[in-house]
Each structure stands twice: as C-alpha cells, then as structure tokens.
Amino acid sequence: MELIFATGNPNKLIEASDILGVSFKLQSLRQLGFTGEIEEPWHSFEENALAKARFVYQKYGMNCFSDDSGLEVEALGALPGVQSAYFAGHEKNCANNLNKLLREMEHQPNRAARFRTVVALILRGKEHIFEGTVNGAITYAPQGDGGFGYDPVFVPNGYTATFGELPKEVKNLLSHRAEALRKMRDFLLSYEQINT
Ligand code: IMP
C-alpha cells in the first residue's frame, strides 16, 4: 500500500517506515515536490494532525497520514502541549524550550508528564485517528544528549534514565509516536485483509 506521510522531517519518515514495515511504501511531501510548511494553528493535537492530513488529501487525492506530538506536564495544566515546539517563543529552539520548562518546574514536587502523539490517517477519503502516549517524569536538570526536544529531561516510567540517555532502539519501542504508528499499522493490515 502506498501512503503519503505529511512530514518534512526525514527522521520521522525513516522511523515510520521501520515501524510500518515492507507492506507499506511511504512517500514524503518532499518526494512529491512540496517543500512548504503546513500550518498547525489549532488547540489540540487531533485538530493539527487532521488539518495537515486534509491539506495533503485535498492537494494530492492520495491516501495519507500526518502526526502531531508534544509534551504534557501535569503540574503545568498539560502545557507545553501543542505549543511544545514554540514554548519559549516564536523561534523553534529546543534548548530554550527545555530551559523554560526546567525553570517553571524548579520548585514543583509533582514531576508527572507524558508525551502524546496523534496520528491522523485519511484512507479513501475517510478519516481515522490513532493515539500513543508514554508516561514519565521530568528531571531537575538535563541528562544525556541523545534524541531531540525534551528527551534529556524525560524519564519514562519504569526506567531511571532519560530518553536523552536511553539507546534510540529503546526509545523507539516505548515512544508515543511508535505506539500511535503501530496502531495505524495494525488497522491498515486488517483493513487490507478485509478489502482484498
Ligand atoms: P512534532 O509534532 O512531532 O513535530 O513535535 C512537536 C514538538 O514536541 C517537538 O518540537 C518537541 O519539542 C516535542 N516533542 C515531540 N515528540 C518528542 C519526542 O519524542 N522527544 C522530545 N520532544 C518531543
């Protein structure tokens, strides 16, 4: 099955191809010649993911999916949430975002947080939503330099190391994005079985 992944991020494309496996041929927006940014102006991951998938479906008329993710910190009322990429300002700056988070959490005993991903799939014109979460806790200082974004301050439940310290393979097994993508894969595989 051919699918467009509405992302400009080549790492996400590789991760999604690994998870979905050989039954799926993914194409990125770049491969279709689209190099612009699709806006994510909404107040929820669901709305943002759907907006991107709808944009692509309307433009290319091909089966497609998109994702939107972020970190939700309990003590901050689920912030930074959809603002995760721009928490510290309009410029997308991971180090500034992470420092702002640590400052806001400095005297906060409740460290509970979760990463959440919503994947929106449009298959033959019909919309489907898949969600993935990973629960954990925010550290008091960055640990490790692997991964990206908030990885150095997030310890998944059941572990003592941050996503910035854990091997990539471990993160990719546990992650919110992987869970949502696996749910989509299972849905698509059973859909194909029923419809072929
Ligand atoms: P996106 O929707 O996947 O592009 O994620 C938006 C923002 O959420 C990123 O710029 C990061 O700040 C944060 N984020 C999402 N997923 C992760 C992750 O797996 N690790 C660390 N930060 C993440």
Side-chain angles (χ1 to χ4, degrees), residues 51-80:
K52 286 185 280 187
R54 283 174 185 157
F55 175 89
V56 171
Y57 193 78
Q58 277 157 17
K59 197 169 168 62
Y60 297 101
M62 289 169 71
N63 295 331
C64 62
F65 68 96
S66 73
D67 73 328
D68 197 38
S69 319
L71 178 69
E72 296 181 333
V73 179
E74 195 172 277
L76 303 180
L79 284 175

Side-chain angles (χ1 to χ4, degrees), residues 111-114 134-138 154-161 163 166 174:
R111 314 298 297 179
R114 64 178 184 172
V134 55
N135 292 307
I138 302 298
F154 183 86
V155 177
N157 285 352
Y159 290 78
T160 52
F163 269 165
L166 289 166
L174 299 176

Side-chain angles (χ1 to χ4, degrees), residues 9 12 40 45 52 67-71 81-86 92 94 97 115-117 147-152 163 171 175-177:
N9 182 334
K12 279 192 182 178
E40 301 178 6
F45 297 125
K52 286 185 280 187
D67 73 328
D68 197 38
S69 319
L71 178 69
V82 288
Q83 300 164 30
S84 290
Y86 302 98
K92 203 172 182 176
C94 289
N97 290 337
F115 276 119
R116 198 152 79 84
T117 293
F148 72 101
Y150 300 93
D151 280 345
F163 269 165
K171 182 187 168 187
S175 91
H176 45 313
R177 220 175 341 273

Side-chain angles (χ1 to χ4, degrees), residues 32-46:
L32 294 173
F34 180 83
T35 51
E37 280 267 321
I38 307 173
E39 296 221 5
E40 301 178 6
W42 306 103
H43 300 297
S44 70
F45 297 125
E46 288 82 355

